[in-house]
Amino acid sequence: MKFTISPPETLSVIEPSWKVEPRFVMKTIERESERQPLGGLYPLGEIGAGVPVEILRADPAHGVIFKLHGGSAAELIGKDQVAVFCGPNGKMQFITHILKINEKEELIGSIPTDLILIQRRKEFRTLGPMDEDLYFVLSLGAGQELLTKVVDISARGILLDIRLDATQVDIGRYWHGGFFERLKSRSGPIDLVIKNNRPGVAMDRVRVGCELYEPNARVLKEMESTRSAIENARVTSKLNRWYLGASWYD
């Protein structure tokens, strides 16, 4: 079994956007543990090599259960460890206190109060909610508007699914005054610049990757609140009501 042992991120480089809200920590670990990720345990506050482990499951009543793939279990009991797990999309990291070994020789760690998720991308990208009532509306000038679907979103970017030939999608092109819209609610105006484009899943669609263009504080707030609302709703299995967490939704 091949492990990706990656050292933990230090406090000096951890960004606020990496931190998961406390109420979603357990749900996030439960979701990630379904993939039984591989990683390592590192002694807190000490310099040392990681001990390879695998997350088997997360139990709110008992803790986080690990399978040890090397090292000495006895040396870990009663100590705080930084758990680091890497996958194809990024890294999950949290601090756990190793409580005991069960009858199956599995390590039992305490449930963490803090959790960080680090994506390989510079910004966290969250898949769109597949909400048939959600659109990002492009303002094309002369009163023309184009409804597009949100494929994924980050705090500073968005991937849109657009009908082929509905408008020009040249790289470097600017779209001014676009906005999120869901039924009667809409965000404030958002300016975008096209960074890439590629064919869509269907032959008559195209996907266009955009970044925010000179965003102000309101735009940044609305983008991040939309992204985090979708992600938090997905973690808590309430994706059909994601919009209740978006700052612009009335």
Side-chain angles (χ1 to χ4, degrees):
M1 184 178 294
K2 183 179 180 181
F3 280 79
T4 301
I5 301 295
S6 177
E9 304 294 328
T10 61
L11 292 176
S12 62
V13 302
I14 293 176
E15 299 181 10
S17 63
W18 295 350
K19 295 183 179 180
V20 174
E21 290 187 37
R23 59 194 175 117
F24 298 126
V25 166
M26 192 59 195
K27 281 288 186 179
T28 301
I29 296 177
E30 288 178 336
R31 180 190 64 188
E32 294 297 321
S33 67
E34 292 176 357
R35 307 172 187 175
Q36 295 188 336
L38 309 176
L41 295 177
Y42 293 79
L44 181 64
E46 301 177 19
I47 299 176
V51 177
V53 293
E54 172 185 2
I55 290 186
L56 298 180
R57 59 193 178 277
D59 186 336
H62 299 96
V64 185
I65 294 85
F66 306 95
K67 181 179 180 180
L68 191 63
H69 286 270
S72 169
E75 293 181 0
L76 299 175
I77 302 298
K79 296 181 180 180
D80 290 331
Q81 300 286 320
V82 182
V84 183
F85 295 91
C86 295
N89 298 319
K91 177 190 290 187
M92 176 173 69
Q93 176 177 315
F94 57 87
I95 297 173
T96 183
H97 184 76
I98 304 302
L99 302 169
K100 61 181 181 179
I101 307 174
N102 66 15
E103 64 279 1
K104 298 180 181 179
E105 297 188 351
E106 299 166 343
L107 291 175
I108 312 298
S110 63
I111 297 172
T113 56
D114 296 301
L115 174 72
I116 65 171
L117 289 175
I118 308 168
Q119 288 192 337
R120 295 191 186 281
R121 294 175 180 263
K122 183 178 180 181
E123 300 282 350
F124 278 91
R125 284 198 175 269
T126 296
L127 288 175
M130 304 304 290
D131 184 340
E132 293 299 321
D133 294 320
L134 171 66
Y135 298 98
F136 190 88
V137 183
L138 298 176
S139 299
L140 303 181
Q144 291 184 314
E145 294 181 342
L146 177 64
L147 304 184
T148 73
K149 300 302 292 183
V150 177
V151 178
D152 65 40
I153 178 176
S154 74
R156 290 179 174 267
I158 191 168
L159 180 62
L160 302 175
D161 184 80
I162 301 175
R163 179 168 48 86
L164 188 64
D165 298 328
T167 186
Q168 293 180 331
V169 293
D170 304 321
I171 295 174
R173 184 180 182 85
Y174 295 91
W175 281 323
H176 296 284
F179 53 90
F180 290 104
E181 180 179 77
R182 188 182 191 282
L183 302 178
K184 296 181 180 180
S185 297
R186 61 172 56 180
S187 70
I190 297 172
D191 297 338
L192 302 173
V193 56
I194 298 176
K195 290 296 185 178
N196 60 73
N197 59 65
R198 62 178 184 269
V201 175
M203 293 182 62
D204 62 342
R205 310 291 294 184
V206 62
R207 292 194 167 180
V208 184
C210 306
E211 288 185 359
L212 298 180
Y213 175 67
E214 297 184 350
N216 57 29
R218 175 197 56 78
V219 170
L220 293 174
K221 177 182 177 181
E222 292 185 343
M223 286 289 290
E224 174 54 24
S225 79
T226 304
R227 187 209 65 77
S228 61
I230 296 169
E231 180 64 19
N232 292 340
R234 180 173 282 113
V235 168
T236 56
S237 301
K238 296 179 180 178
L239 194 54
N240 61 330
R241 298 175 65 81
W242 69 269
Y243 45 84
L244 297 179
S247 63
W248 51 268
Y249 186 82
D250 294 326

